[in-house]
Amino acid sequence: MMKLALPLMLAWYFHKHEATLRLRDFAIAALLLIVPLGLIARQPDLGTAALVGAAGFYVIFFAGLSWKVLGTLGAMGMAALPLGWGFLHGYQRRRVLTLLDPSQDPLGAGYHIIQSTIAVGSGGLSGKGWLNGTQAHLEFIPERHTDFIFAVFSEEFGLIGNIVLLTLYTLLIARGLMIAANAATVFARLLAAAIALMYFTYAFVNMGMVSGILPVVGVPLPFLSYGGTALLTLFIGAGILMSVHRHRKLVQT
């Protein structure tokens, strides 16, 4: 629920200080983001921490964060990567190393990526058909109903199905950003934009993980993966977008 609570809090904070927004306000907002982010990462749960951090960052970015400040922070983050490696747990390091070379442990840490990429590639152009995927139904793909549902979808519906799915996600995200652009208040605009891009983050991380271009983390695919709290937060986000649209500012004609 923090993936919704944090954008709500940050959007309220920037709305409250809309008239006198200064660099100090962005620093306070960053602190409000870092505290829960650090607690989640310390569990450790990097997947959820990444989603919560992205949702909070979107609010700060759309509130008017300077590109100069953003570039400076990005450069500092890149420079700190070697130091961050030392703070990672052993299994987290293995995930990164497995991403670079899954074949080094094909029956262990690399198993997920190898089997999912086989499923994605074997789908071909049009897929093997509904319920005809061998990788999925012979149980080679782990967590095929949740985190790796995209591998099952790709195998059964192929490239054409993936293009349709990406188009639907693009339309959903674009519609959310349009709602944000027409919102009545700063609070509604920031919240709607953060929720719309939260859908993007979910989809990008999940598809990247299954395709082997991102480390394996526990992130579901929006509205496709079986889920409890994650699915609930996605639907609550959709309801918030609809509410923002319902209360949008009327255009004078």
Side-chain angles (χ1 to χ4, degrees):
M1 299 305 292
M2 186 62 70
K3 285 172 280 190
L4 291 176
L6 192 60
L8 276 166
M9 179 177 64
L10 291 175
W12 168 82
Y13 177 80
F14 282 116
H15 178 78
K16 182 179 178 182
H17 297 85
E18 175 188 2
T20 59
L21 203 57
R22 292 174 293 180
L23 186 60
R24 183 184 62 132
D25 297 313
F26 287 99
I28 294 174
L31 182 62
L32 294 174
L33 171 62
I34 289 172
V35 171
L37 191 64
L39 293 174
I40 296 170
R42 196 172 158 75
Q43 290 186 18
D45 187 352
L46 284 184
T48 302
L51 293 176
V52 171
F57 169 77
Y58 293 143
V59 176
I60 297 174
F61 174 74
F62 283 110
L65 183 63
S66 169
W67 283 102
K68 186 181 296 184
V69 174
L70 190 61
T72 302
L73 293 175
M76 292 172 59
M78 294 295 291
L81 283 179
L83 297 176
W85 179 261
F87 289 96
L88 293 178
H89 293 265
Y91 78 94
Q92 293 168 343
R93 294 182 186 179
R94 285 195 299 272
R95 285 182 177 179
V96 177
L97 295 175
T98 301
L99 172 67
L100 300 176
D101 184 14
S103 62
Q104 65 180 345
D105 189 8
L107 298 179
Y111 182 81
H112 293 67
I113 296 178
I114 292 173
Q115 296 302 324
S116 64
T117 51
I118 289 174
V120 172
S122 65
L125 181 63
S126 58
K128 297 179 179 178
W130 173 248
L131 300 180
N132 290 327
T134 54
Q135 291 294 113
H137 297 287
L138 294 179
E139 300 187 0
F140 285 103
I141 302 175
E143 306 298 335
R144 59 190 183 277
H145 63 296
T146 53
D147 294 347
F148 284 83
I149 188 68
F150 182 64
V152 180
F153 183 90
S154 299
E155 186 180 26
E156 295 185 356
F157 297 101
L159 178 62
I160 295 175
N162 286 343
I163 291 174
V164 172
L165 181 63
L166 286 171
T167 302
L168 292 174
Y169 279 138
T170 302
L171 292 174
L172 173 65
I173 296 165
R175 182 58 178 160
L177 292 175
M178 288 177 61
I179 290 173
N182 295 319
T185 63
V186 172
F187 171 79
R189 185 178 75 246
L190 296 178
L191 181 59
I195 291 173
L197 289 185
M198 182 179 71
Y199 291 146
F200 164 76
T201 305
Y202 265 99
F204 177 77
V205 172
N206 181 275
M207 292 179 179
M209 169 188 76
V210 172
S211 303
I213 62 174
L214 291 176
V216 175
V217 292
V219 175
L221 190 62
F223 305 116
L224 281 187
S225 293
Y226 176 91
T229 309
L231 187 62
L232 180 63
T233 55
L234 289 168
F235 275 117
I236 291 175
I240 292 174
L241 286 176
M242 295 169 68
S243 178
V244 171
H245 177 67
R246 175 67 178 82
H247 298 90
R248 68 190 183 281
K249 185 183 300 182
L250 296 177
V251 178
Q252 299 294 331
T253 58

